[in-house]
């Protein structure tokens, strides 16, 4: 079976998250998005675990959960996950066999207060965290590996330097794609995951990055097998040029610098501002090749942007305005879920509803976007004209 899966989100128990990140809302909004499987997130927080047990029911001892209702049988399903921060402020994504296992694991970690935040701060290093995860038959890998503040590569030049051995996957994060990552030789053997890290259940956040995967059946065991054996059909996510720290650039005037020139300038811009090293610059420091060397198992990486954000941009209206939401709902009524609209609906059919939207969706599908890259804290911009 083929599924769309977002394997990294947070609950309302994490800092700076929507109070609407509850199981019922997450399930319903994920259906609009077109997700078949979504992470629970925050599975070491006792308040969230209690809520999950009240709201979800496990399907035939598979480690897969559905909402505890009798009407919405086609809701998106859940898998138990958490993100943790280690003693170097590096973030790790753990996919867990069940809610019961998550309860049992909580006491294994050295932590001041496991319930202080949905993403707990563990007083242990990556290798120690991995050992516990594998003792409980979890799979684990670095979250958003290139993020300048909490990604593994901010502190280490090699993945195995962090864990002492190979993790089960690498999560690219919103600031990278397969072309960038596959300039680093050591990553050739890893499965790349693309997930939203969403703090909100609404479809312009949840599933903004996702994985299309082939599974034998919908179960934790099959999901692990798929990830470990690189059975990812396609990765979907942001064009990394849109990130506000993609290029190395000045945080004041936003001038773009080559990373080597920036280092020679002692990270000080000619305008007097500070130069911030970008994700692209860090990858260039680590790169083994000038151009990507994709291994045979590497799937295609498709750029996309949430439908509501595209509507907001082309019509110059806020994402949550009635103007945008009315058009969003009409498109879903006509053509199915959001992923179908973005990827599968014929452009000529979209054009009968919204010509401006049709043109920009075509640009994403054709990879012909004209992007002014983000740098120095300024987000990238797409020229849709």
């Amino acid at each position: 079976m083929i599924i769309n899966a977002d394997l990294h989100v947070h609950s309302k128990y994490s800092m700076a998250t929507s109070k609407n990140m509850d199981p019922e809302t997450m399930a319903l909004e994920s259906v609009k998005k077109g997700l078949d499987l979504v992470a629970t997130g925050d599975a070491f927080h006792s308040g969230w675990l209690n809520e999950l047990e009240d709201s979800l029911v496990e399907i035939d001892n598979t480690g897969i959960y559905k909402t505890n209702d009798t009407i919405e049988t086609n809701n998106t399903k859940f898998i138990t996950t958490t993100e943790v921060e280690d003693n170097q402020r590096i973030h790790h994504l753990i996919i867990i066999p069940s809610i019961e296992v998550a309860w049992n694991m909580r006491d294994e970690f050295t932590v001041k207060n496991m319930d202080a935040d949905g993403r707990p701060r563990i007083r242990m290093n990556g290798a120690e965290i991995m050992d516990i995860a594998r003792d409980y038959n979890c799979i684990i890998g670095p979250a958003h590996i290139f993020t300048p503040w909490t990604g593994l590569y901010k502190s280490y030049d090699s993945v195995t330097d962090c864990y002492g051995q190979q993790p089960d996957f690498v999560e690219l994060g919103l600031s990278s794609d397969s072309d960038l990552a596959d300039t680093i030789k050591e990553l050739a053997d890893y499965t790349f995951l693309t997930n939203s890290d969403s703090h909100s259940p609404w479809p312009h956040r949840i599933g903004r990055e996702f994985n299309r995967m082939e599974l034998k059946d919908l179960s934790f065991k099959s999901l692990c097998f798929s990830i470990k054996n690189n059975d990812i059909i396609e990765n979907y996510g942001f064009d990394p040029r849109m990130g506000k720290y993609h290029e190395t650039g000045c945080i004041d005037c936003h001038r773009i610098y080559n990373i080597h020139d920036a280092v020679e300038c002692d990270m000080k811009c000619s305008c007097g501002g500070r130069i911030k090293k970008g994700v692209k610059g860090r990858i260039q420091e680590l790169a083994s090749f000038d151009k990507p060397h994709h291994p045979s198992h590497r799937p295609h990486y498709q750029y996309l942007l949430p439908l509501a954000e595209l509507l907001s941009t082309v019509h110059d209206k806020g994402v949550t305005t009635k103007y945008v939401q009315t058009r969003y709902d009409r498109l879903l009524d006509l053509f199915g879920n959001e992923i179908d609209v973005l990827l599968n609906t014929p452009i000529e059919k979209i054009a009968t509803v919204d010509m401006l939207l049709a043109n920009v969706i075509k640009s994403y599908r054709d990879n012909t976007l004209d992007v002014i890259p983000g740098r120095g804290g300024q987000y990238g911009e797409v020229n849709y004209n």
Side-chain angles (χ1 to χ4, degrees):
M1 64 186 303
I2 295 174
I3 67 166
N4 297 325
D6 182 355
L7 301 173
H8 182 179
V9 306
H10 289 278
S11 75
K12 60 188 177 184
Y13 291 92
S14 281
M15 294 178 62
T17 53
S18 167
K19 68 181 187 305
N20 296 303
M21 283 298 265
D22 60 75
E24 293 83 3
T25 305
M26 291 166 66
L28 288 170
E29 296 301 318
S30 294
V31 169
K32 294 180 184 178
K33 189 72 180 188
L35 296 173
D36 303 294
L37 186 67
V38 68
T40 63
D42 299 355
F44 289 158
H45 192 286
S46 63
W48 184 231
L49 285 171
N50 284 322
E51 191 164 336
L52 291 174
E53 289 185 326
D54 290 340
S55 303
L56 302 179
V57 58
E58 188 175 5
I59 304 171
D60 300 328
N61 296 313
T62 57
I64 304 298
Y65 295 82
K66 64 179 180 179
T67 49
N68 191 14
D69 57 59
T70 58
I71 299 174
E72 298 290 346
T73 57
N74 293 322
N75 277 3
T76 302
K77 307 304 187 293
F78 289 87
I79 190 161
T80 313
T81 71
T82 193
E83 181 187 26
V84 301
E85 181 175 294
D86 71 16
N87 58 10
Q88 299 296 316
R89 293 202 65 206
I90 293 169
H91 290 186
H92 310 270
L93 175 63
I94 307 174
I95 303 176
I96 306 169
S98 68
I99 292 173
E100 180 182 2
V101 171
W103 274 116
N104 294 334
M105 291 178 68
R106 279 171 41 94
D107 295 333
E108 298 282 352
F109 297 97
T110 303
V111 59
K112 184 176 181 179
N113 181 2
M114 188 65 86
D115 290 335
D117 184 52
R119 182 185 58 221
R121 295 181 178 180
I122 307 294
R123 295 178 174 180
M124 304 169 77
N125 62 37
E128 293 168 325
I129 292 170
M130 173 182 276
D131 285 344
I132 294 172
R134 290 189 166 168
D135 283 345
Y136 283 86
N137 297 316
C138 304
I139 59 173
I140 182 173
H144 40 72
I145 190 170
F146 296 109
T147 301
W149 296 273
T150 57
L152 182 148
Y153 277 134
K154 82 173 179 68
S155 298
Y156 296 97
D157 290 337
S158 171
V159 176
T160 53
D161 286 347
C162 175
Y163 295 109
Q165 56 184 309
Q166 286 197 349
D168 300 298
F169 59 82
V170 163
E171 183 186 62
L172 296 181
L174 305 182
S175 55
S176 181
D177 62 9
S178 297
D179 280 348
L180 289 169
D182 274 334
T183 63
I184 300 173
K185 185 178 181 180
E186 75 159 340
L187 295 182
D189 293 335
Y190 291 102
T191 296
F192 290 165
L193 295 183
T194 42
N195 303 307
S196 72
D197 196 2
S198 182
H199 289 206
S200 165
W202 314 127
H204 64 282
R205 291 290 181 260
I206 204 163
R208 58 188 171 179
E209 296 205 348
F210 67 94
N211 312 275
R212 182 160 290 169
M213 313 171 66
E214 185 167 4
L215 277 62
K216 181 178 179 181
D217 54 50
L218 194 58
S219 67
F220 172 82
K221 182 178 179 180
S222 290
L223 181 80
C224 291
F225 182 88
S226 177
I227 291 173
K228 290 181 178 181
N229 289 275
N230 294 300
D231 289 335
I232 309 296
I233 297 172
E234 194 158 20
N235 293 112
Y236 297 89
F238 283 19
D239 184 325
R241 294 175 296 175
M242 297 294 290
K244 61 182 179 179
Y245 294 105
H246 174 66
E247 293 276 3
T248 296
C250 176
I251 62 173
D252 290 337
C253 73
H254 306 298
R255 174 184 171 185
I256 293 175
Y257 281 83
N258 176 282
I259 183 59
H260 303 295
D261 293 338
V263 171
E264 287 186 6
C265 295
D266 197 26
M267 305 304 282
K268 293 180 181 178
C269 181
S270 57
C271 78
R274 181 166 62 92
I275 300 171
K276 180 69 176 177
K277 184 190 296 183
V279 170
K280 181 181 175 182
R282 178 56 177 147
I283 291 174
Q284 288 173 336
E285 290 178 336
L286 298 164
S288 312
F289 318 108
D290 292 332
K291 295 183 179 180
H293 283 49
H294 297 302
S296 60
H297 62 79
R298 185 73 69 224
H300 177 249
Y301 188 108
Q302 176 63 49
Y303 297 147
L304 82 171
L305 199 68
L307 180 59
E309 291 194 10
L310 292 178
L311 287 165
S312 172
T313 299
V314 298
H315 294 290
D316 196 22
K317 303 286 185 180
V319 170
T320 60
T321 60
K322 183 177 180 180
Y323 185 96
V324 168
Q325 291 302 311
T326 297
R327 281 154 180 77
Y328 178 91
D329 291 340
R330 186 184 178 202
L331 287 161
L332 265 59
D333 287 342
L334 289 172
F335 305 125
N337 61 59
E338 180 176 327
I339 290 173
D340 279 340
V341 175
L342 292 171
L343 299 175
N344 303 323
T345 303
I347 294 297
E348 57 270 20
K349 288 188 176 182
I350 299 174
T352 63
V353 180
D354 192 321
M355 179 61 76
L356 291 174
L357 178 68
N359 289 336
V360 70
I361 289 178
K362 185 176 186 298
S363 294
Y364 271 89
R365 292 183 188 179
D366 295 346
N367 196 22
T368 56
L369 291 171
D370 180 14
V371 177
I372 303 171
R375 68 281 189 196
Q378 180 169 288
Y379 283 103
E381 299 178 6
V382 176
N383 180 6
Y384 292 116
N385 298 323

